[in-house]
Amino acid sequence: MELTPRTLFSLARTTVETAVAVPGRVLDLLGAAETVVRRADGLVARTERVLAETEALVERAKVVTAAADGITADVARTARVSRELMDDYAPLARQAQPLARRFVEELSPHEVDAAIELVDQLPVLTKHIMEDVLPILTTLDKVGPEIHQLLEVTKDMKQAILGIPGFSFLRRRGEEKEEGGE
């Protein structure tokens, strides 16, 4: 390209226009950069809030997980114990079921009331049995031979009385008086 005054002028003009436009473009660029920085600041602030909320959520999740682990262990233990009890008592329940059904079907409300009343009296009954009946029962082994001796003496006395002369007459006379109402 040939440098003519016109070309030089054109180049100078283009250069001046470009140089004049640079500050405006730089200002536009700075404005856009400020907007980007403001948006980045907002984004960072929101990210920090989200991060803080996420950390709090993670901490709560740890607590919930620990609680869930404890509950899971409790449930597993309960299930194991339930299974053991079912295994132990299921045969007994199957065996007792017909008897229990019969018991329930034949039990009247009056009998239930009587049973409740009996259960209410158990403390009193227990006290009397312990304090009154059992002490007597412990002496029965001593009383038994004495009763036998008493029966033998009574038998001997009866034979002796029957052997008294005139006893048969007195006996008949007493029976006649009883019949006559005197």
Side-chain angles (χ1 to χ4, degrees):
M1 162 166 184
E2 190 179 318
L3 287 180
T4 61
R6 196 169 227 213
T7 312
L8 280 175
F9 179 74
S10 179
L11 273 173
R13 187 173 146 212
T14 304
T15 303
V16 169
E17 284 177 356
T18 302
V20 169
V22 166
R25 289 177 67 195
V26 168
L27 287 177
D28 289 343
L29 186 59
L30 285 176
E34 281 181 2
T35 302
V36 167
V37 167
R38 272 194 299 271
R39 291 180 76 194
D41 282 345
L43 184 58
V44 166
R46 284 193 313 235
T47 303
E48 286 174 347
R49 277 194 310 271
V50 167
L51 181 61
E53 290 172 3
T54 302
E55 287 173 347
L57 186 58
V58 166
E59 289 304 313
R60 284 189 301 214
K62 287 178 184 176
V63 170
V64 169
T65 302
D69 288 345
I71 291 170
T72 302
D74 288 346
V75 167
R77 197 170 26 258
T78 301
R80 182 178 42 77
V81 168
S82 296
R83 174 56 51 204
E84 290 171 0
L85 289 173
M86 290 293 295
D87 291 345
D88 289 345
Y89 288 103
L92 179 63
R94 284 189 193 94
Q95 184 180 1
Q97 188 268 341
L99 299 173
R101 179 184 310 269
R102 182 172 163 225
F103 182 77
V104 169
E105 288 172 354
E106 293 185 15
L107 199 62
S108 72
H110 177 70
E111 291 168 325
V112 171
D113 292 340
I116 290 170
E117 190 174 328
L118 179 64
V119 169
D120 288 343
Q121 295 301 317
L122 282 178
V124 174
L125 288 172
T126 302
K127 182 177 184 239
H128 285 299
I129 287 172
M130 298 300 285
E131 293 176 1
D132 301 331
V133 175
L134 288 181
I136 291 171
L137 290 177
T138 59
T139 64
L140 283 182
D141 62 334
K142 298 173 190 164
V143 173
E146 292 173 2
I147 290 175
H148 286 291
Q149 288 175 350
L150 185 60
L151 288 173
E152 287 177 18
V153 169
T154 304
K155 187 176 177 183
D156 291 343
M157 286 190 61
K158 179 181 176 186
Q159 287 175 350
I161 291 173
L162 290 175
I164 296 175
F167 183 75
S168 295
F169 170 74
L170 292 172
R171 186 178 193 185
R172 276 191 307 263
R173 187 172 165 166
E175 288 174 357
E176 288 172 4
K177 281 190 172 187
E178 280 184 2
E179 288 175 8
E182 295 178 17

